[in-house]
Amino acid sequence: MGINLSKGQTIDLKKRDGGTLSYATLGLGWDAKVVEHRGFFGGVKKVQQNIDLDASALLCSGRTVQEIVYWGQLASGDGTVRHLGDNLTGEGEGDDETIQIVLDGLPPAIDAVYLVVNSYSGETFSEIDNAFVRVLDPAAGDTELVRYELSEAGPHTAMIMAKLTRGATGWTITAIGQKAEGRTAQELQSAVTAML
């Protein structure tokens, strides 16, 4: 189990042995809340709806978003960031969507990568449980290094989950947990730009 981050907390992204992390996998997971429906004859049926959340990575340089990697563009132009595909329901255990990043391969101008989540189908975070983002070290058998569990629900359709920032000694991760509105990563671009 990795380090559990609190909202606003920043830590260095390092391997378990303290070495520099050059390649990372970002996993995002969530569950739809179970809703009880009363039947005509008084019976109760528990239903878990499908919720289509989308994880995206916004690659930033200075105060500008340079590129967005999401379900509609599965890789950055240079191939250093890859989205492994869209999960339309959130069903199943573990990560629902995954983004791989070659940290030491990112162009020097890219100084931050924001991880955002949006509800493409328009459901709100009031309908979602157990949302999290985590960082894994693929070179160590996908060992979990860091996890940030989202605790805030509400009537918003998107969330700026976390950011990776390049520093003099490597990359850091900051748990953000900022509520936002938008059904696509492109609609969240202005919210991310305001944070740069």
Side-chain angles (χ1 to χ4, degrees):
M1 188 87 163
I3 297 169
N4 284 317
L5 290 182
S6 302
K7 184 174 180 175
Q9 185 178 4
T10 300
I11 64 163
D12 290 332
L13 274 180
K14 298 283 185 190
K15 294 182 177 184
R16 285 266 170 95
D17 63 9
T20 302
L21 187 67
S22 59
Y23 181 71
T25 299
L26 304 176
L28 168 82
W30 71 90
D31 295 317
K33 284 189 176 177
V34 176
V35 179
E36 291 186 354
H37 291 285
R38 297 217 174 269
F40 185 69
F41 297 106
V44 175
K45 181 178 180 183
K46 293 186 178 186
V47 178
Q48 188 171 26
Q49 68 185 52
N50 293 335
I51 293 184
D52 181 12
L53 291 187
D54 295 322
S56 306
L58 284 71
L59 284 61
C60 303
S61 176
R63 297 188 53 80
T64 307
V65 175
Q66 296 292 327
E67 194 169 8
I68 301 174
V69 176
Y70 68 109
W71 62 267
Q73 179 181 323
L74 294 175
S76 59
D78 62 4
T80 57
V81 182
R82 295 192 175 278
H83 192 299
L84 298 188
D86 193 15
N87 179 326
L88 300 175
T89 65
E91 284 186 33
E93 296 296 317
D95 301 332
D96 293 309
E97 294 197 9
T98 305
I99 297 173
Q100 297 174 331
I101 303 178
V102 182
L103 294 168
D104 60 4
L106 285 167
I110 300 298
D111 52 20
V113 178
Y114 279 76
L115 183 64
V116 302
V117 182
N118 56 274
S119 172
Y120 183 76
S121 46
E123 287 88 7
T124 70
F125 276 72
S126 297
E127 302 168 73
I128 296 165
D129 274 335
N130 307 320
F132 67 86
V133 61
R134 64 188 188 136
V135 180
L136 308 173
D137 181 0
D142 282 334
T143 300
E144 181 178 297
L145 301 175
V146 179
R147 175 182 286 258
Y148 171 48
E149 295 183 4
L150 191 65
S151 58
E152 298 179 36
H156 49 285
T157 57
M159 181 71 66
I160 301 170
M161 293 287 284
K163 73 173 175 176
L164 306 180
T165 307
R166 189 196 304 260
T169 59
W171 289 84
T172 61
I173 183 169
T174 303
I176 296 176
Q178 175 69 44
K179 299 173 186 176
E181 293 296 334
R183 294 172 63 166
T184 67
Q186 291 77 6
E187 291 175 8
L188 297 174
Q189 195 167 335
S190 60
V192 167
T193 301
M195 301 179 82
L196 295 173

